[in-house]
Amino acid sequence: MKNINSAAPDKVTKEHIDQAVEYYELHKDDNPPPKAKEIIQYASGSEVEIDARCKFGKELLEQISTFGIFPNRSHQYAPKKKVKLTTEQEEFIQNNACRMKWYDCAKQLFPKIKDLNPASFESRAVKSFYDSLPENLKIDIAEESDKKYSPPKTLERAIVRVNKYILEGINKEKITNSQKANMGALIKYLNGYRFLSQINSYIKSDDRDAFEDCFIRYTFDKPDLTQEEIDQYIILSSEVVIARNTKDIVEMLQQQLRDANDPSNDDSESDKAMTMKLIEAIKNSQSEYNQCIGRQNALIKTLKGDRAARIKNKLETNKSFAHVIDAWKVEETRIKMLKFAEMRRSRMKESIDHYQSMDDMTAEIFGLTEEEVLDG
């Protein structure tokens, strides 16, 4: 195989050095800047490809280094510039570190980067700042839940789940038929697709427990819920989790504000600016918390009203049947009802006798016997 560097000049001259320096000065601001191979090729004047592996190339690079020129060779790694986060981006990470992982923060901050991954420069910048935060401001890794939520599928497991959140909820040894019906309905609720999708979206186990707690406490004794009401209870439980996390953020920001106003700290302009930002952040978080509580109250009011109206209509429908049963229990009324039935039977018999006096064709049309008419 022919050596590609065999056409290189035998010795580096002043002219070679001047050409190399000239080429570098012309292209040093290019992106990327010229590499060693390009400079050697230009300075040599050869049409055959040569590089820094030959004697000429090595000597030329050594000579131009005295001019402060150290071009990268083709095999050398040229790192890209690091990404520097803005003040707003750092504040976003700090405010959300208690409920988001660093990579989730990166995806929120750089949504336009389609090929973003944990190794991206943007992600590394977020992780670097995230790691610099105090541990009490970040998600507790020990509390993270990577496993999917496992809903109860049997009566026994459903009872255990209810008693986890309801004090003296259900006694397994003295369970009634109505409670069994309640547990059957609850099992269906907890195995629904939307419920599972929502509860599995939470990272922290505390958030899952808060969501499940709210949903079970409101639904464990309501076996007659419609699908629309189940969805509303899922939304209500989600609002409870949001309110809980928002309250934690408010408390965290208030503690930071107290630290910023500590008399022992220097009263610098940066401290004053940070104080104003904290006050604004606390105000916004408290407003969000109050709105969340308002949405919860509205949902509870709607759910109670809708179910109460449905139960009332059902009771009105069953009320007439209850009157009949109550009337039958009274002896005097029962005697009257029996006499009325006997009179009705007598009149019907007279009608039957009249029909039986008709010719055979009429009887064949009706196709009824006396016993069929009287006994219904």
Side-chain angles (χ1 to χ4, degrees):
M1 182 178 179
K2 185 180 179 180
N3 186 356
I4 62 174
N5 290 313
S6 59
D10 296 331
K11 186 178 180 181
V12 176
T13 65
K14 184 178 184 300
E15 183 181 357
H16 291 145
I17 297 174
D18 292 341
Q19 289 178 334
V21 173
E22 178 186 4
Y23 183 84
Y24 178 80
E25 291 296 329
L26 288 173
H27 299 280
K28 65 180 180 180
D29 295 327
D30 294 351
N31 187 18
K35 295 185 180 299
K37 181 178 179 180
E38 300 173 27
I39 298 175
I40 294 171
Q41 186 71 43
Y42 179 82
S44 68
S46 174
E47 296 181 356
V48 181
E49 182 181 3
I50 59 175
D51 55 34
R53 290 176 292 179
C54 65
K55 179 181 177 182
F56 172 81
K58 293 178 180 177
E59 185 178 348
L60 180 64
L61 293 179
E62 183 178 350
Q63 291 292 335
I64 65 176
S65 66
T66 60
F67 294 87
I69 301 174
F70 302 94
N72 289 333
R73 300 190 179 186
S74 59
H75 66 278
Q76 289 180 309
Y77 171 71
K80 296 182 181 179
K81 295 182 179 180
K82 292 184 178 180
V83 175
K84 182 174 178 58
L85 299 177
T86 64
T87 304
E88 290 76 14
Q89 290 173 330
E90 291 180 349
E91 288 180 357
F92 175 85
I93 299 171
Q94 183 173 348
N95 293 336
N96 291 277
C98 63
R99 55 181 175 180
M100 296 175 67
K101 295 181 180 179
W102 66 268
Y103 184 48
D104 293 326
C105 290
K107 288 188 288 186
Q108 291 286 335
L109 292 173
F110 302 98
K112 296 183 179 180
I113 301 179
K114 296 181 179 180
D115 57 347
L116 184 74
N117 59 72
S120 300
F121 289 96
E122 293 81 5
S123 299
R124 292 181 183 180
V126 172
K127 186 178 187 303
S128 178
F129 181 77
Y130 186 94
D131 292 341
S132 68
L133 296 175
E135 291 300 322
N136 63 331
L137 298 183
K138 295 184 287 187
I139 286 179
D140 187 354
I141 301 300
E143 292 185 355
E144 292 183 21
S145 178
D146 295 329
K147 296 182 179 180
K148 288 188 176 182
Y149 171 78
S150 178
K153 298 183 182 295
T154 63
L155 177 65
E156 291 75 14
R157 298 308 304 168
I159 294 173
V160 171
R161 200 65 60 92
V162 169
N163 290 340
K164 177 182 178 181
Y165 303 110
I166 310 296
L167 182 63
E168 299 179 359
I170 297 176
N171 188 337
K172 180 181 177 182
E173 305 300 327
K174 298 180 180 180
I175 187 171
T176 64
N177 291 331
S178 62
Q179 288 177 327
K180 288 182 179 179
N182 293 343
M183 292 301 96
L186 181 63
I187 290 173
K188 292 181 180 179
Y189 301 160
L190 298 180
N191 282 271
Y193 175 81
R194 182 166 182 181
F195 178 87
L196 294 176
S197 176
Q198 184 63 41
I199 196 170
N200 282 321
S201 68
Y202 297 116
I203 298 175
K204 296 177 65 176
S205 58
D206 283 351
D207 289 343
R208 287 190 177 185
D209 289 343
F211 179 84
E212 185 185 46
D213 168 42
C214 178
F215 186 84
I216 288 180
R217 282 191 297 105
Y218 278 113
T219 63
F220 84 101
D221 57 350
K222 298 179 178 64
D224 59 333
L225 294 178
T226 64
Q227 188 59 54
E228 291 77 9
E229 289 172 334
I230 295 172
D231 291 345
Q232 285 182 306
Y233 276 116
I234 291 174
I235 296 173
L236 174 62
S237 303
S238 302
E239 292 289 350
V240 169
V241 177
I242 293 173
R244 177 177 176 272
N245 289 331
T246 305
K247 187 176 181 181
D248 289 343
I249 292 175
V250 171
E251 293 177 355
M252 177 193 69
L253 293 173
Q254 288 176 337
Q255 181 59 49
Q256 291 181 1
L257 181 61
R258 286 192 289 268
D259 294 340
N261 292 329
D262 191 330
S264 61
N265 295 333
D266 294 333
D267 188 17
S268 62
E269 291 298 324
S270 60
D271 290 337
K272 291 181 180 179
M274 178 60 69
T275 298
M276 294 303 298
K277 290 181 179 179
L278 286 172
I279 292 174
E280 185 66 23
I282 291 172
K283 180 181 177 181
N284 293 335
S285 296
Q286 286 178 333
S287 177
E288 181 181 351
Y289 176 78
N290 293 333
Q291 292 175 6
C292 187
I293 296 300
R295 292 193 296 269
Q296 290 181 43
N297 292 333
L299 274 171
I300 293 173
K301 185 177 180 180
T302 300
L303 286 165
K304 285 184 176 180
D306 292 347
R307 185 166 183 265
R310 189 176 69 253
I311 293 175
K312 182 179 179 181
N313 292 335
K314 186 176 181 180
L315 290 175
E316 290 293 336
T317 303
N318 295 333
K319 195 172 182 180
S320 58
F321 295 101
H323 283 314
V324 173
I325 295 173
D326 291 339
W328 181 256
K329 293 179 181 179
V330 179
E331 183 177 3
E332 181 180 355
T333 306
R334 186 165 63 248
I335 293 173
K336 289 181 179 180
M337 292 176 68
L338 289 172
K339 286 183 177 180
F340 176 78
E342 189 64 32
M343 291 173 61
R344 181 174 178 273
R345 182 182 179 88
S346 176
R347 286 197 298 270
M348 290 182 66
K349 190 175 185 309
E350 292 176 359
S351 299
I352 292 171
D353 291 340
H354 173 69
Y355 289 132
Q356 286 179 341
S357 65
M358 295 180 180
D359 55 16
D360 295 340
M361 182 59 70
T362 305
E364 184 178 350
I365 292 174
F366 281 93
L368 298 173
T369 65
E370 179 179 351
E371 287 76 13
E372 287 177 332
V373 175
L374 292 176
D375 296 334

